[in-house]
């Protein structure tokens, strides 16, 4: 199963956004009045600094959120609450610290199909993409008005109330004005501070995520018109090759967070030569060939970035091949644990500890070592105090090397 999260850019996608809002706000909760068009939209949807994010399960729209950057009309949240005093405080605070003036944004119009509300990864992915947009635009602070019934969710995300609840008669709901910094909401969305690398720079402003369940194919060798490269945000991907003439299956590599794959399609018109599939539930950033070349034509230095990334990847592939071919089982396990350590993210409440959301079974698959042996290795590492171990995560206590 896979879910694609992207910025709505076509009339059909925008119409899906407006229809999904109607489905939730009118048909399900009766917050707003019904209308013949069966859509919910307002003046901010037509603004150039407005981004409507849409999530699809196949062809079915399942979630949406809107990000609006501060402009001449201010923000949708300003229609429900007077944030001017708080805006002035932020401006004065930045001035006193010799910082540039703050840039505010509003996230709202949040709607998820009832059948998909148990998918935490979908909920978080919508906000991840919101954060990507905010960071790309230089947003410093988020303001919003939260429904009193969902206030606890917003507090867990790091937002704080700026005042008492206000009754919004148009939608017959009590709303609470809230604020957080861009850094705070980003840390919540990504589970800790974001690591900025050449690869994340390469995928900045790609504005598209693919959420895939364990076992889901990403692409296979029969795909002829490949148009996308992928960066693993979290999870793990298996790269393999099938030789029909020899009836053989070759496991070529297992990739984890921070690694790139499928990038050859950016430079040629040939089809895929390998298969890629998710080993565990995995989040991918997507870079389309068309967007890549638009960036290259706009800024030739962009090409240098990906060439440097690919050069480093070739070196890593060579090292990985030696490990697969010649390393002992112990050396292989140590190598892959070290690789995971490099991708571990600081824990929100214990930033001195870093975590990878991956259990023993996935580690067994990545290392290519039988489950019993790989589990025994992890448990031994836990006994020495170098890692912590749960059914679904590995916690690193030492700094990444």
């Amino acid at each position: 199963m896979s879910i694609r999260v992207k910025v709505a850019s076509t009339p059909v996608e925008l119409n899906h956004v407006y229809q999904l809002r109607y489905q939730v706000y009118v048909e399900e909760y009766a917050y707003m009045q019904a209308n013949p068009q069966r859509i919910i939209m307002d003046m901010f949807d037509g603004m150039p600094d407005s981004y409507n994010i849409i999530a699809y399960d196949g062809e079915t729209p399942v979630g949406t959120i809107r990000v609006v950057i501060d402009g001449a009309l201010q923000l949708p949240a300003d229609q429900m609450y007077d944030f001017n005093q708080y805006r002035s405080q932020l401006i004065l605070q930045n001035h006193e610290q010799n910082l540039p003036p703050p840039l505010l944004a509003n996230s709202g119009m949040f709607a998820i199909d009832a059948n998909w509300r148990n998918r935490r990864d979908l909920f978080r992915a919508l906000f991840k993409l919101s954060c990507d947009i905010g960071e790309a635009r230089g947003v410093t602070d988020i303001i919003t008005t939260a429904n009193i019934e969902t206030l606890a969710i917003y507090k867990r995300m790091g937002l704080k109330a700026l005042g008492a609840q206000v009754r919004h008669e148009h939608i017959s709901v009590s709303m609470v004005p809230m604020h957080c910094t861009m850094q705070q909401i980003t840390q919540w969305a990504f589970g800790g501070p974001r690591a900025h690398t050449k690869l994340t720079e390469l995928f900045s402003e790609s504005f598209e995520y693919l959420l895939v369940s364990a076992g889901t194919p990403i692409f296979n060798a029969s795909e002829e018109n490949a148009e996308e490269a992928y960066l693993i945000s979290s999870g793990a991907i298996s790269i393999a090759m099938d030789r029909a003439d020899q009836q053989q299956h070759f496991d070529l590599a297992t990739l984890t967070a921070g690694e790139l794959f499928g990038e050859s399609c950016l430079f040629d018109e040939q089809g895929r030569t390998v298969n890629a599939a998710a080993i565990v539930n995995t989040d991918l950033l997507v870079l389309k060939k068309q967007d890549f070349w638009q960036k290259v034509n706009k800024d030739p230095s962009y090409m240098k970035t990906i060439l440097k990334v690919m050069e480093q990847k070739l070196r890593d592939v060579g090292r990985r091949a030696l490990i697969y071919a010649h390393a002992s089982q112990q050396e292989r396990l140590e190598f892959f644990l070290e690789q995971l350590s490099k991708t571990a993210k600081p824990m929100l409440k214990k930033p001195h500890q870093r975590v990878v959301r991956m259990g023993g079974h996935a580690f067994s698959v990545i290392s290519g070592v039988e489950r019993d042996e790989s589990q025994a290795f992890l448990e031994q590492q836990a006994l020495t105090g170098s890692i912590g171990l749960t059914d679904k995560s590995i916690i690193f206590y030492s700094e990444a090397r």
Side-chain angles (χ1 to χ4, degrees):
M1 182 182 295
S2 63
I3 300 173
R4 189 171 291 263
V5 184
K6 58 184 296 187
V7 175
S9 58
T10 68
V12 170
E13 290 170 349
L14 288 169
N15 203 43
H16 285 159
V17 167
Y18 308 147
Q19 289 173 343
L20 189 54
R21 291 177 189 169
Y22 188 91
Q23 174 185 324
V24 174
Y25 296 148
V26 177
E27 296 179 342
E28 185 174 355
Y29 287 104
Y31 288 151
M32 300 180 179
Q33 293 184 349
N35 62 69
Q37 294 78 27
R38 300 176 61 81
I39 62 174
I40 295 296
M41 61 181 300
D42 60 29
M43 63 181 179
F44 290 98
D45 289 310
M47 300 300 293
D49 287 332
S50 180
Y51 300 82
N52 279 304
I53 298 170
I54 184 77
Y56 287 97
D57 172 26
E59 301 297 322
T60 304
V62 295
T64 182
I65 192 171
R66 182 176 69 184
V67 177
V68 182
I69 312 297
D70 207 2
L73 296 179
Q74 294 193 318
L75 296 168
D78 291 292
Q79 308 290 310
M80 301 185 187
Y81 182 83
D82 186 358
F83 283 92
N84 284 327
Q85 182 178 355
Y86 194 72
R87 287 169 179 271
S88 299
Q89 291 176 4
L90 288 175
I91 292 171
L92 179 60
Q93 176 182 303
N94 282 26
H95 178 73
E96 291 175 345
Q97 298 178 13
N98 294 318
L99 296 173
L103 177 61
L104 278 63
N106 177 204
S107 59
M109 286 292 187
F110 181 55
I112 293 183
D113 185 291
N115 296 319
W116 290 88
R117 287 183 197 148
N118 62 338
R119 287 290 299 262
R120 292 184 180 181
D121 56 342
L122 170 58
F123 179 84
R124 198 174 290 264
L126 289 166
F127 280 93
K128 280 185 177 181
L129 191 43
S130 299
C131 291
D132 286 347
I133 292 168
E135 287 193 343
R137 292 298 311 276
V139 170
T140 60
D141 295 83
I142 304 295
I143 60 172
T144 191
T145 49
N147 185 332
I148 191 68
E149 295 179 2
T150 58
L151 186 62
I153 297 175
Y154 283 88
K155 286 183 176 180
R156 286 198 295 270
M157 294 164 62
L159 285 94
K160 294 183 178 180
L162 296 178
Q165 64 188 60
V166 178
R167 183 71 175 177
H168 188 57
E169 297 302 334
H170 176 62
I171 57 175
S172 301
V173 170
S174 293
M175 309 294 286
V176 177
M178 306 196 79
H179 162 266
C180 71
T181 65
M182 188 71 227
Q183 183 181 28
Q184 287 171 321
I185 194 71
T186 299
Q187 286 203 351
W188 171 83
F190 290 89
R194 295 190 71 178
H196 291 282
T197 65
K198 287 187 174 65
L199 267 176
T200 55
E201 291 174 13
L202 185 70
F203 279 75
S204 67
E205 300 185 44
S206 62
F207 297 159
E208 190 163 327
Y209 280 85
L210 189 63
L211 315 182
V212 290
S213 302
T216 302
I218 311 303
F219 57 73
N220 55 56
S222 64
E223 184 179 341
E224 296 182 357
N225 300 310
E227 296 289 332
E228 297 177 343
Y230 306 91
L231 173 64
I232 304 173
S233 177
S234 64
I237 295 293
S238 169
I239 305 296
M241 177 183 290
D242 292 314
R243 291 291 300 272
D245 56 333
Q246 300 178 19
Q247 294 185 337
Q248 288 182 302
H249 176 85
F250 299 95
D251 291 315
L252 302 179
T254 300
L255 309 180
T256 55
E259 296 193 84
L260 174 71
F261 67 99
E263 73 280 4
S264 61
C265 77
L266 301 175
F267 301 98
D268 60 43
E269 302 298 327
Q270 298 183 23
R272 308 284 192 189
T273 58
V274 297
N275 307 320
I279 296 173
V280 295
N281 293 347
T282 299
D283 292 3
L284 303 172
L285 269 167
V286 180
L287 179 60
K288 294 183 178 296
K289 181 188 291 189
Q290 177 183 347
D291 294 337
F292 171 75
W293 283 105
Q294 284 179 350
K295 291 182 178 182
V296 169
N297 292 331
K298 184 177 180 180
D299 181 6
S301 66
Y302 190 77
M303 177 67 81
K304 294 181 181 179
T305 300
I306 193 169
L307 290 177
K308 288 181 180 179
V309 168
M310 293 177 70
E311 179 185 12
Q312 182 60 48
K313 182 179 178 181
L314 286 173
R315 293 174 180 171
D316 292 343
V317 167
R319 184 184 178 197
R320 195 185 301 262
L322 287 173
I323 291 292
Y324 276 122
H326 302 294
S328 66
Q329 180 172 287
Q330 180 71 16
E331 290 170 332
R332 183 182 294 189
L333 290 165
E334 290 174 352
F335 170 80
F336 284 101
L337 188 63
E338 179 187 354
Q339 295 300 105
L340 284 183
S341 174
K342 293 176 181 178
T343 69
K345 296 181 179 179
M347 301 176 70
L348 281 177
K349 296 184 179 179
K350 298 178 180 179
H352 59 288
Q353 298 180 9
R354 296 168 300 109
V355 64
V356 173
R357 304 296 179 187
M358 182 178 295
H361 172 70
F363 182 72
S364 170
V365 174
I366 287 174
S367 61
V369 175
E370 292 294 329
R371 175 69 187 274
D372 290 346
E373 284 79 4
S374 65
Q375 186 68 26
F377 168 79
L378 290 175
E379 290 174 356
Q380 179 60 38
Q381 296 298 310
L383 286 174
T384 66
S386 60
I387 66 169
L389 193 61
T390 72
D391 290 341
K392 296 182 179 180
S393 64
I394 301 172
I395 302 167
F396 295 88
Y397 300 128
S398 59
E399 294 296 323
R401 289 180 285 177

